[in-house]
Amino acid sequence: TNSGTIRKTVGTGSLILGTSSYTSVQNAGGSFDIQSGTLDVNQFNNTGSGFITAGTVNVVGGTGTVAGTLTGAGTLKLTGGTLTVDGVASIANYAQSGGTLNGVGTLTATSGFNWTGGSMSGAGTTVVAAGATGALNSPTTTTYLYRTLDIQGVIDYEGSAGTRPYSLGIFAGGNLKVSSGGVLNLTT
């Protein structure tokens, strides 16, 4: 259980915490200060008020939950497993290349957003805040939207073209919303 600070200061590679599906990182109001490289976690659970002050926390697998608040200037990345946001997450950068973002809460990317794979589901909302920029593309797979994606910033979307069969699938419960002031650039 982390209620202090987990800091990674050396090495450009990834450090893995929680190497099996039975090991989890419990963050109880603590901070992640990743000054170099990436911290890979399995079954990330955040209760209370957590912070990603710098660097990247990458959820690689398992089932995790953000039940309190999670904020910070760092990056939250989802590459595998399921991350359920039932609280409020307001992170500078959010990236997803796999796994499932789920839950009834709100995840807000305040600076950068990059979605290249996996699915977003649940009754919650993913917000690309005003002033944020990013990309929604699926170079090797279809991305699946089952929740609201609210674009208030600027997103470049590269969908299917020619023989490339990859795209964004919007299904029951899914809502691709471009709010006033938001821009969705169609680049294909």
Side-chain angles (χ1 to χ4, degrees):
T1 301
N2 176 37
S3 56
T5 299
I6 294 177
R7 180 173 292 133
K8 182 176 181 300
T9 59
V10 297
T12 58
S14 294
L15 173 67
I16 300 171
L17 289 181
T19 57
S20 75
S21 60
Y22 304 105
T23 307
S24 67
V25 174
Q26 303 292 326
N27 190 48
S31 296
F32 294 94
D33 183 13
I34 314 305
Q35 299 173 8
S36 180
T38 299
L39 177 65
D40 289 340
V41 296
N42 196 20
Q43 292 190 3
F44 177 76
N45 290 293
N46 184 82
T47 58
S49 297
F51 303 93
I52 301 176
T53 57
T56 300
V57 174
N58 180 20
V59 179
V60 297
T63 301
T65 303
V66 175
T69 60
L70 182 65
T71 60
T75 298
L76 177 62
K77 185 175 183 181
L78 178 60
T79 58
T82 299
L83 181 62
T84 299
V85 176
D86 285 337
V88 176
S90 181
I91 297 293
N93 300 293
Y94 178 73
Q96 183 175 349
S97 61
T100 300
L101 174 65
N102 193 7
V104 298
T106 300
L107 184 143
T108 301
T110 61
S111 183
F113 176 86
N114 190 17
W115 184 20
T116 60
S119 64
M120 293 188 184
S121 62
T125 301
T126 303
V127 177
V128 180
T133 60
L136 193 165
N137 60 44
S138 32
T140 59
T141 186
T142 299
T143 52
Y144 299 95
L145 182 63
Y146 296 91
R147 69 187 276 143
T148 297
L149 174 59
D150 183 0
I151 300 171
Q152 299 172 7
V154 178
I155 294 294
D156 292 334
Y157 172 65
E158 182 182 342
S160 297
T163 60
R164 201 175 116 199
Y166 310 114
S167 64
L168 170 65
I170 303 173
F171 298 95
N175 178 16
L176 180 62
K177 176 182 177 183
V178 181
S179 291
S180 177
V183 177
L184 179 62
N185 289 319
L186 305 177
T187 61
T188 303

